[in-house]
Amino acid sequence: MKITIAGAGAMGMRFGLMLHRSGEEVTFIDGYKANVLALEEKGLQANYNGEEVIDQIKAYDMTAIPTDLTIDLLILFTKSTQLEDMLQAVSGNISKNTKLLCLLNGIGHEKVIEKYLSLEQVFIGTTMWTAGMEGPGRVKLFGKGSVHLGAVDKSQEAVGKEIAAVLTKAGLNAHYASHIKEMIYRKASLNGCMNSLCTILEANMAEVGACPSTENMIHSIVDEFLAVAAKEDVHLEKEEILANIHSCYDPQTNGKHYPSMYQDLIKNHRLTEIDYLNGAISEKGKAYGIPTPYCDLITNLIHAKEKLLEAK
Ligand code: NAD
């Protein structure tokens, strides 16, 4: 299958490497020039479960995509803030036969995607795989994960299952999920608490959990996510979401981890995905007539912090 990975960062390189190794024809498109250059000149260098590997995988700068590049499956792995520019860049190579898989964290990417191709061609989901970019063309890949994906248009279930099979053949442990929106909201509500509070408080997850005053905030944020989800006929158990959040506090497991939003903004002064987490709940809340004061405030605080840190 001709697979193009749009966004060759940490996750793009993980999926690209694993799919390439299972015999798929993988191409990277990226907007980070030093990364494209390193991929071209040195190959994709990975510490892959402790082993040093180098794979040669074709990479193009998003401003120089060959017009004859055919894409059967387009896997998006930009950050949310880079999504629209990437779709614009690759739009000339999208045909009616192209399928698109979006595994970005957050809610509402379909609204951007549907400007570029029919939602019949679109599959969305979540992944529990992780990856860390160590520099241009270099990634650290450890541990295990999974992918859950679903068709935006339910009539496309069979195609979604074929895509899941291609990913599973590559070891990506993918499953077709008919209730994919539930999984997306479940993950987003966790991220909407831990990513944003760790970033605002400049703390790791164990430290956030150790502050008694964060518990009330977390209840209120989760209530807002669940109220908006319910308007879309997505019904989640608050206790289950809270249990997932509390399980992040254990310093023996994940507690000492600083979530990706913290690393993006505080460490690297990069723009965050807040508009697709708490910001998406604020926007949807306005449309549905649901007050979302906690998500509103959190979104504004993160945007203020982006401005103060001159994030790009
Ligand atoms: P990433 O930041 O590693 O890469 C995203 C894009 O940013 C790529 O195009 C990359 O080349 C570019 N980029 C990276 N560093 C840059 C720099 N210094 N200057 C300019 N451009 C740079 O993002 P990611 O971690 O791969 O995440 C992609 C999506 O997957 C996001 O929606 C994220 O929330 C989600 N996700 C990530 C993980 C993870 O463990 N990394 C896990 C699950 C979901």
Side-chain angles (χ1 to χ4, degrees), residues 11 15 50 61 75 104 125 133 142 145 166 191 204 216 260 270-271 300:
M11 291 299 279
F15 276 59
D61 188 282
I75 304 182
L104 272 61
M133 197 169 174
F142 273 92
V166 171
N191 288 335
N204 65 33
N216 284 339
S260 59
R270 294 179 69 196
L271 292 169
N300 286 329

Side-chain angles (χ1 to χ4, degrees), residues 157-194:
E157 180 172 330
V159 181
K161 287 182 173 166
E162 282 169 31
I163 296 172
V166 171
L167 299 186
T168 292
K169 183 170 147 270
L172 284 159
N173 186 20
H175 307 270
Y176 187 84
S178 42
H179 300 294
I180 194 65
K181 277 186 93 174
E182 281 177 19
M183 307 200 72
I184 290 174
Y185 266 103
R186 193 176 287 126
K187 190 171 185 200
S189 50
L190 172 85
N191 288 335
C193 292
M194 295 319 297

Side-chain angles (χ1 to χ4, degrees), residues 33-268:
K33 289 196 188 315
N35 191 39
V36 175
L37 204 65
L39 287 168
E40 275 177 354
E41 289 183 350
K42 298 186 190 150
L44 190 168
Q45 304 169 76
N47 182 325
Y48 189 32
N49 297 321
E51 186 193 348
E52 288 298 324
V53 301
I54 301 181
D55 276 26
Q56 292 298 334
I57 302 177
K58 192 77 214 147
Y60 295 107
D61 188 282
M62 62 192 262
T63 58
I65 307 171
T67 49
D68 61 354
L69 177 73
T70 303
I71 306 178
D72 299 326
L73 177 62
L74 179 65
I75 304 182
L76 297 175
F77 263 131
T78 60
K79 291 284 190 183
S80 305
T81 47
Q82 305 161 321
L83 178 62
E84 179 119 39
D85 285 349
M86 178 58 82
L87 284 166
Q88 251 167 33
V90 81
S91 60
N93 300 82
I94 295 174
S95 76
K96 62 177 188 343
N97 299 320
T98 304
K99 311 296 175 211
L100 180 148
L101 174 62
C102 176
L103 297 175
L104 272 61
N105 273 335
I107 299 166
H109 298 104
E110 314 86 273
K111 282 270 159 265
V112 181
I113 293 168
E114 71 182 347
K115 295 188 212 163
Y116 298 90
L117 74 176
S118 154
L119 287 179
E120 271 178 23
Q121 297 166 254
V122 178
F123 301 82
I124 53 174
T126 59
T127 177
M128 298 308 287
W129 287 100
T130 60
M133 197 169 174
E134 295 193 311
R138 187 165 173 86
V139 71
K140 194 169 184 179
L141 308 173
F142 273 92
K144 295 190 187 317
S146 58
V147 175
H148 286 89
L149 66 95
V152 174
D153 177 335
K154 298 290 171 218
S155 72
Q156 298 302 305
E157 180 172 330
V159 181
K161 287 182 173 166
E162 282 169 31
I163 296 172
V166 171
L167 299 186
T168 292
K169 183 170 147 270
L172 284 159
N173 186 20
H175 307 270
Y176 187 84
S178 42
H179 300 294
I180 194 65
K181 277 186 93 174
E182 281 177 19
M183 307 200 72
I184 290 174
Y185 266 103
R186 193 176 287 126
K187 190 171 185 200
S189 50
L190 172 85
N191 288 335
C193 292
M194 295 319 297
N195 270 277
S196 37
L197 290 180
C198 287
T199 307
I200 290 166
L201 297 172
E202 299 193 24
N204 65 33
M205 298 198 286
E207 289 165 341
V208 164
C211 300
S213 60
T214 57
E215 192 58 16
N216 284 339
M217 287 193 272
I218 284 171
H219 275 255
S220 302
I221 297 165
V222 171
D223 284 340
E224 292 177 10
F225 270 80
L226 298 196
V228 165
K231 274 278 180 190
E232 297 182 1
D233 213 16
V234 174
H235 301 285
L236 296 170
E237 292 294 328
K238 183 174 177 184
E239 291 314 314
E240 186 203 336
I241 308 282
L242 291 175
N244 276 342
I245 292 169
H246 294 153
S247 74
C248 298
Y249 298 161
D250 184 354
Q252 303 303 325
T253 53
N254 296 326
K256 292 197 173 144
H257 175 69
Y258 290 83
S260 59
M261 189 181 289
Y262 173 98
Q263 313 221 12
D264 285 340
L265 183 55
I266 308 301
K267 225 173 127 202
N268 298 317

Side-chain angles (χ1 to χ4, degrees), residues 283-297:
E283 280 305 304
K284 284 173 181 276
K286 278 191 204 100
Y288 299 147
I290 298 171
T292 57
Y294 279 81
C295 284
D296 299 352
L297 178 62

